Amino acid sequence: MQIKSIIKINVRRNSIVALITLLFLFSCAKKESQYTNNQVFRYNEHSNITSLDPAFAKDQRNIWAVNQLYNGLVALDDSLQVQPAIAKNWIISEDGKTYQFELRKDVQFHKHELFGKDSTRNVKAKDFEYSFNRLLDKNVASPGGWVLQNVESFHAKNDSVFTINLEQPFPPFLGLLAMKYCSVVPKEAVDYFGNEFRANPIGTGPFHFKLWVENTKLVLRKNPLYFEKDKNGKQLPYLEAVAVTFLPDKQSEFLQFIQGNIDFMKSLDASYKDDILNTDGTLKEKYVSKINMQTGAYLNTEYLGIYLDVEEDHPTKSKLIRQAINYGFDREKMIKFLRNGIGSPATSGFIPKGLPSFNNQQGYLYKPEEAKKLVAQYKRETGNTNPQIAITTNSNYLDLCEFIQRELQKIGIDAKVDVIPPSTLRQGKANGKLPIFRASWIADYPDAENYMSLFYSKNFTPNGPNYTHFKNELFDTLYEQSIKEVDVKKRYRLYQKMDSIIIAEAPIVPLYYDEVIRFTQKNVIGLGINPIDMLDLKRVIKDKKNSRY
């Protein structure tokens, strides 16, 4: 009887939860119905957004939402050039250490009763002073505090001038300031909401917060006070609203997109890639007239990392084996058949296409005979006639790693593939427990320093991103020169020299330079595409003439 009662209670409880969910979705649909389909932009996130506070804009899911709600001093355009945002201009001192920003005087926070009778107020330099101090506050524990690690001081000179002093010159600094961590927030709102500011965001962005039910739906509305205008003087944004759903299943998302229920779909998943794309990366004929596809360079290098602090007799301690792995598989074949042509073979080092310092230098091509010679040399020198390695990955990249496994066996390396959950993979990589691990590095800001920092010896994990524990005195010297070099061309040459050292010493196995891929409905205009895969909706229009629905 007790078991039956528990079952009845659980059934009743589940029914109530289901009913509440249905009522909520109906309510959302009713609220959205006041706008036409061409006024609301809809997209899906596979994982729930964890915070709408820019201090916690670490993952793309959070960054995309935060980008609609907030602004910083500067922003990046689709060509990764730094453009004015709340700062209308700036001056950098000759020694490269002092940045003085002049703020616009027409930027207002989103309307809220916290601001008193006017329901809003203008942004002042003191707001940036507060926002930067908050980013550094240990009690806030923002993952973005590192952005200001080279900052000696900052202060508001007056209401419209904000000054930042660096400890030493750092040319990529403006690009760092474009990160969403550096967005301005109002002290009144943070003080009032406390930890719940994450779910009650107030910023200056093109859209303001309307509704968020975690794991279900996020709704943003047009900000009527937004300061930016298009080239014809029309106020941005054009859309009335943005609606985000949280379907975790990528196949379900694909079906929703094909049915026209969402306007945009990012990336490519193995569950549907062969249905939508040919092996050369073009759209299948049945979709050409129904949807649009955009691709472009992405500041993301996919690679296998090789942990170098292993035992002396481990095969990957030898550069011969590391180079043999690099020569031992066909990257072009891998991209064509396993990625449907999305991405390009990483045959030019670690710095990806899309960065100006990428120079197409000679890396590792497919040379199986050269790989066999290197393996044979290793066997002669060590007496190890059966070198064994293990590649650790998560399930999303299993097909790539199994392809490499089969190719390495042909050159005399006994390889196996271990599959573990993503969280376990991250921990193992950070703790040095994985001799070879599948990884990717997506740029936080558009400068190759972001990539070279992975091999600087003072950045050994867990204190930095040097997961391989690579150490090279010449590399370290060049790196230290590069972060002080103000001359852009000289800095790029230093990056390229460092990248050539990485190619020669082979602490990693570059796999491919990723591409941004975006699918949209035919009526979506002005979405754009960029190498950091930022979602910017303020100039998006949904054209009635091209709508299928």
Side-chain angles (χ1 to χ4, degrees):
M1 289 295 291
Q2 189 176 4
I3 293 174
K4 288 182 179 179
S5 298
I6 292 171
I7 292 172
K8 286 180 180 179
I9 290 169
N10 285 337
V11 169
R12 190 178 297 117
R13 185 178 296 152
N14 291 338
S15 299
I16 291 169
V17 170
L19 179 60
I20 291 171
T21 302
L22 284 171
L23 288 171
F24 169 73
L25 291 174
F26 176 76
S27 174
C28 287
K30 192 173 181 181
K31 288 175 183 177
E32 285 180 24
S33 67
Q34 59 186 301
Y35 310 116
T36 67
N37 180 57
N38 292 300
Q39 293 175 306
V40 182
F41 187 88
R42 298 179 174 89
Y43 75 93
N44 182 68
E45 276 291 355
H46 306 121
S47 301
N48 187 41
I49 290 169
T50 59
S51 177
L52 296 173
D53 182 342
F56 297 91
K58 180 181 181 181
D59 302 311
Q60 190 185 66
R61 53 187 169 170
N62 290 9
I63 291 170
W64 278 12
V66 163
N67 192 46
Q68 318 313 320
L69 294 164
Y70 298 91
N71 298 100
L73 291 164
V74 296
L76 298 175
D77 63 17
D78 281 352
S79 299
L80 302 186
Q81 298 299 310
V82 177
Q83 300 294 340
I86 294 178
K88 61 181 181 180
N89 55 59
W90 53 87
I91 299 171
I92 303 174
S93 62
E94 288 187 11
D95 64 4
K97 294 171 66 174
T98 300
Y99 291 67
Q100 183 169 289
F101 298 90
E102 183 181 0
L103 308 190
R104 297 176 62 125
K105 297 179 180 180
D106 59 347
V107 182
Q108 296 177 300
F109 285 112
H110 297 152
K111 282 191 173 184
H112 198 281
E113 60 187 15
L114 283 171
F115 298 119
K117 65 176 183 178
D118 295 326
S119 298
T120 186
R121 68 169 177 82
N122 283 27
V123 172
K124 299 179 181 179
K126 279 284 186 185
D127 293 310
F128 277 101
E129 189 175 292
Y130 168 75
S131 299
F132 280 28
N133 276 318
R134 180 172 179 260
L135 200 59
L136 295 171
D137 189 342
K138 292 182 179 179
N139 293 322
V140 175
S142 166
W146 64 270
V147 172
L148 303 177
Q149 64 185 350
N150 188 38
V151 173
E152 182 180 74
S153 63
F154 50 83
H155 70 280
K157 187 175 181 180
N158 52 47
D159 284 352
S160 58
V161 177
F162 183 64
T163 301
I164 302 174
N165 298 303
L166 304 185
E167 294 178 353
Q168 61 182 21
F170 186 64
F173 184 64
L174 275 177
L176 274 176
L177 290 179
M179 296 181 68
K180 301 318 295 181
Y181 290 131
C182 299
S183 301
V184 68
V185 297
K187 184 177 186 298
E188 301 97 314
V190 177
D191 287 348
Y192 180 78
F193 289 111
N195 292 334
E196 287 307 304
F197 182 68
R198 63 177 287 280
N200 296 275
I202 298 174
T204 60
F207 298 91
H208 68 82
F209 176 72
K210 180 66 177 178
L211 180 72
W212 182 27
V213 174
E214 297 188 47
N215 288 312
T216 305
K217 196 158 193 171
L218 170 68
V219 179
L220 310 177
R221 286 283 310 279
K222 178 177 183 175
N223 174 16
L225 302 175
Y226 193 56
F227 60 93
E228 286 192 87
K229 297 179 180 179
D230 66 15
K231 61 183 180 181
N232 297 318
K234 185 176 180 180
Q235 187 182 27
L236 299 173
Y238 303 123
L239 296 164
E240 286 291 339
V242 177
V244 186
T245 54
F246 298 96
L247 285 173
D249 180 58
K250 294 184 180 182
Q251 181 67 29
S252 298
E253 178 194 57
F254 174 65
L255 293 174
Q256 288 293 306
F257 176 71
I258 294 304
Q259 292 167 9
N261 296 324
I262 55 177
D263 300 300
F264 160 75
M265 187 174 69
K266 62 178 179 179
S267 71
L268 190 68
D269 189 68
S271 65
Y272 57 77
K273 68 180 179 64
D274 293 327
D275 181 58
I276 196 169
L277 292 184
N278 299 306
T279 55
D280 64 355
T282 57
L283 272 175
K284 288 284 182 73
E285 181 63 30
K286 62 181 178 179
Y287 293 119
V288 170
S289 63
K290 298 179 180 179
I291 63 175
N292 289 328
M293 182 181 78
Q294 289 177 286
T295 60
Y298 186 19
L299 300 189
N300 175 32
T301 300
E302 299 282 344
Y303 68 100
L304 298 181
I306 302 174
Y307 184 65
L308 299 181
D309 279 344
V310 290
E311 298 81 3
E312 288 297 324
D313 60 350
H314 194 283
T316 53
K317 191 74 173 180
S318 169
K319 184 166 68 173
L320 296 170
I321 291 296
R322 300 198 302 269
Q323 291 178 330
I325 295 171
N326 269 289
Y327 281 125
F329 65 100
D330 190 337
R331 291 168 174 83
E332 290 189 9
K333 183 178 178 182
M334 180 180 71
I335 294 297
K336 180 177 181 179
F337 294 105
L338 299 181
R339 291 275 303 168
N340 290 69
I342 301 301
S344 56
T347 56
S348 301
F350 193 60
I351 297 173
K353 291 182 177 180
L355 281 177
S357 48
F358 176 84
N359 73 338
N360 206 29
Q361 63 184 311
Q362 184 64 61
Y364 290 97
L365 302 176
Y366 179 45
K367 296 182 179 180
E369 295 307 316
E370 180 67 23
K372 289 177 183 178
K373 289 179 183 178
L374 290 167
V375 173
Q377 182 180 347
Y378 168 80
K379 290 178 179 179
R380 288 194 305 272
E381 292 180 0
T382 64
N384 182 358
T385 58
N386 184 30
Q388 297 178 332
I389 64 171
I391 302 170
T392 306
T393 183
N394 60 42
S395 58
N396 290 336
Y397 294 85
L398 177 59
D399 56 347
L400 295 177
C401 292
E402 286 182 337
F403 170 79
I404 296 170
Q405 175 192 29
R406 291 190 295 269
E407 295 295 291
L408 294 184
Q409 288 170 346
K410 295 176 185 177
I411 64 170
I413 297 177
D414 184 5
K416 71 172 185 173
V417 177
D418 294 329
V419 182
I420 60 177
S423 58
T424 309
L425 179 61
R426 286 193 296 270
Q427 291 172 3
K429 180 176 67 173
N431 297 331
K433 295 181 178 179
L434 306 174
I436 305 178
F437 51 87
R438 204 286 319 165
S440 61
W441 190 257
I442 302 172
D444 291 315
Y445 48 95
D447 191 277
E449 185 277 334
N450 204 224
Y451 288 86
M452 295 299 97
S453 66
L454 268 72
F455 306 102
Y456 183 49
S457 66
K458 294 182 181 179
N459 285 342
F460 277 11
T461 53
N463 299 317
N466 189 340
Y467 299 109
T468 63
H469 279 206
F470 175 76
K471 185 174 184 179
N472 180 285
E473 288 186 12
L474 177 58
F475 184 96
D476 285 354
T477 299
L478 294 171
Y479 178 82
E480 289 167 0
Q481 290 176 14
S482 72
I483 60 176
K484 298 176 183 178
E485 181 56 66
V486 178
D487 186 291
V488 172
K489 292 183 178 179
K490 289 181 180 178
R491 192 166 79 250
Y492 288 172
R493 285 196 291 271
L494 290 169
Y495 292 153
Q496 290 158 5
K497 287 180 182 178
M498 285 185 274
D499 208 8
S500 67
I501 293 173
I502 298 305
I503 292 171
E505 296 300 319
I508 59 166
V509 181
L511 301 178
Y512 61 91
Y513 310 121
D514 206 356
E515 287 185 346
V516 178
I517 181 167
R518 293 183 168 185
F519 301 98
T520 57
Q521 303 296 344
K522 284 287 186 183
N523 64 333
V524 173
I525 299 171
L527 182 61
I529 194 167
N530 53 79
I532 57 171
D533 199 15
M534 179 62 78
L535 186 67
D536 187 352
L537 298 177
K538 62 178 176 277
R539 290 183 172 84
V540 170
I541 296 172
K542 290 177 67 177
D543 185 8
K544 295 179 182 179
K545 295 178 182 179
N546 292 320
S547 179
R548 288 189 285 150
Y549 309 98

